[in-house]
Amino acid sequence: MKKMAFSVLATGSLALLLNVTDAEASSYTAKPGDSLWKIASSNKISVADLKKWNGLKSDTLYANQVLKLAPPQAAKPAPAAKSAKPAAKSAKPAQTPAAGSTTYTVKSGDTLSRIALLHKTSVGEIQKLNNMATPHIFAGQQLKVGGTAPAAAAKPPAKQAPASVAAPTTYKVAKGDTVSGIASRHGITAAQLMSWNSLATANIRVGQVLKVKAPAVAPAKTAPAAKPVPASAPAQAAKSYKVAKGDTLSSIAQRNGTTLAQLMSWNSLSSTNIYVGQLLIVKTAAATPAKPAPAAKPAPVPASSPIQTNGSYQVVKGDTLSGIAVRHGISMTQLMNWNNLTSTNIRVGQVLKVQNTAVAPQSQAAPVSAPASTGRGTAGEVVSLGLSLVGTPYVWGGSSINGFDCSGYIYYVYNQAGVQVSRTDTVGFEARSYDVDTPQVGDLVFFSNTYKAGISHMGIYIGDNKFVHAGGTQVQITSLDDVYWGKHFDGFKRLYTMN
């Protein structure tokens, strides 16, 4: 009888000991210096799960706080130890990395943006693969930078897979998404995404459905509208204007009923910089009427003919500046310059200049085309992407869409535009660029002696004596005529990588 009692007691004690051990393994007592990220990383779980299992609303911890390291339900299923083992075995194949799966060890100074660029993927994809709730990383951390394929997904026969899966044309906005992040994941530019979805700003909401593929447009048939080609413009006497203090090219063009592009072309200007006392041609004497005009019989004039009768556009509901620019085959910077706009805000009924309206057919002088370039790695793409981020908060040391400082903003914009630059400060960027006398849009503007001695601030030149930069409380457009920035202006430079 005593033996039986002792045996029962021993068995009970052993079960209790095992139970306690399991309980300890699924919890953790916080120590001074601990953080949610450190605890989650050490126990191979995500910060999001750790917060969910413990009902935490913030990342704040205190010493001796007991945290659950597994979901509450995980402790219940322990009916039979035998059945638990097969379950554990079946779980392993689901973690099998895919053939293209790779890992990367984080080095000091790395950022998720840099790692994503290095492996030709996106920040969002890396966060998803590694169950990351925030973009914070630490040296020595192992990150998956390729996909992981569940074993179950490999079982279905290849026949069930469609022969050709069409790329998705829409995307539903999820929490934490941004316009530039979505654009990057779908291999398009932020300007394209904003244009296709008629977005006036980069603000989006969770659940919003966005077009991520260009809608099939076949407006080429509108070319016949170019038939009414006017005869030669009536003869005009040449007229000049002497630049006065406070003048800008845009205001001079507006006062003289011409466009900024025409004014620059007539005066062979490669930038919008002018000086007091400079003599500018503001109207040209029309050349003798071109006799070949009667030969208008061959009506099928190429659609690309630059001579059109109507050079303006009236804004309608749903229009955006980038959308209007794309439809008229010009860049957003050109559109802003021609209409003397300082922001992308427009209103219904507003009339905008969308082309050069009085270009003589024989003047084959190349127009100022620097702002029109919108391909990957061009100045136009840099400016377009830079302007799409106006309003993003200023964050010291920031280099992501969550917030930028001045050099972090330059780093992010140039890399997203396809120009590879490393993450450095204002002094580092100055060392990687050279002086230019006549700046073009996309060039860098440097300022000195702001909060420290020497080069201390920078931005991107967008033309018309303005620049876009991360300063004050957010990314914003500022004039170089501003009293403060004019006093600290140091000069224009161009990155060597732009050549």
Side-chain angles (χ1 to χ4, degrees), residues 41-74:
S41 181
S42 301
N43 291 278
K44 297 182 179 176
I45 57 176
S46 71
V47 174
D49 283 340
L50 191 58
K51 290 173 77 171
K52 184 169 78 174
W53 298 338
N54 292 277
L56 299 176
K57 304 277 185 185
S58 70
D59 295 342
T60 307
L61 278 179
Y62 56 86
N64 298 322
Q65 183 174 354
V66 178
L67 299 173
K68 296 172 188 171
L69 301 178
Q73 304 94 301

Side-chain angles (χ1 to χ4, degrees), residues 101-124:
S101 168
T102 54
T103 58
Y104 177 80
T105 304
V106 178
K107 302 179 183 65
S108 178
D110 273 344
T111 63
L112 272 190
S113 304
R114 182 180 177 279
I115 296 168
L117 282 167
L118 200 63
H119 293 88
K120 294 184 172 63
T121 183
S122 68
V123 171

Side-chain angles (χ1 to χ4, degrees), residues 217-413:
V217 192
K221 291 183 180 179
T222 56
K227 268 188 180 181
V229 179
S232 58
Q236 299 175 25
K239 182 181 175 184
S240 61
Y241 173 80
K242 194 173 186 179
V243 178
K245 188 175 180 181
D247 276 341
T248 64
L249 272 186
S250 301
S251 62
I252 295 170
Q254 201 168 26
R255 285 201 302 274
N256 289 279
T258 184
T259 67
L260 180 67
Q262 278 181 314
L263 200 55
M264 292 179 74
S265 176
W266 293 339
N267 293 277
S268 302
L269 299 175
S270 57
S271 80
T272 55
N273 292 340
I274 50 177
Y275 56 87
V276 175
Q278 185 175 356
L279 214 59
L280 297 175
I281 299 169
V282 292
K283 187 185 285 185
T284 57
T288 50
K291 287 184 180 179
K297 284 184 180 179
V301 181
S304 60
S305 175
I307 307 164
Q308 298 181 13
T309 54
N310 185 14
S312 63
Y313 175 81
Q314 189 168 18
V315 179
V316 297
K317 189 175 180 182
D319 271 343
T320 63
L321 207 59
S322 54
I324 295 168
V326 169
R327 288 202 298 277
H328 289 87
I330 57 179
S331 75
M332 194 159 69
T333 307
Q334 283 178 311
L335 194 56
M336 290 178 75
N337 281 343
W338 294 346
N339 293 279
N340 203 24
L341 300 176
T342 58
S343 76
T344 54
N345 295 333
I346 50 177
R347 65 180 185 279
V348 174
Q350 185 174 354
V351 177
L352 298 175
K353 295 174 186 173
V354 292
Q355 65 183 29
N356 301 341
T357 54
V359 180
Q362 69 276 17
S363 77
Q364 296 179 356
V368 181
S369 57
S373 308
T374 53
R376 293 286 289 166
T378 64
E381 174 72 3
V382 168
V383 172
S384 179
L385 184 60
L387 290 172
S388 74
L389 296 168
V390 169
T392 304
Y394 179 91
V395 175
W396 177 261
S399 58
S400 75
I401 42 153
N402 296 322
F404 300 103
D405 65 8
C406 67
S407 57
Y409 171 68
I410 303 297
Y411 162 77
Y412 180 86
V413 170

Side-chain angles (χ1 to χ4, degrees), residues 2 13 24 49 74 90 101 186 306 312 319 364 461 490:
K2 283 183 180 178
S13 301
E24 286 176 352
D49 283 340
S90 63
S101 168
H186 290 88
S312 63
D319 271 343
Q364 296 179 356
Y461 184 63
D490 189 81

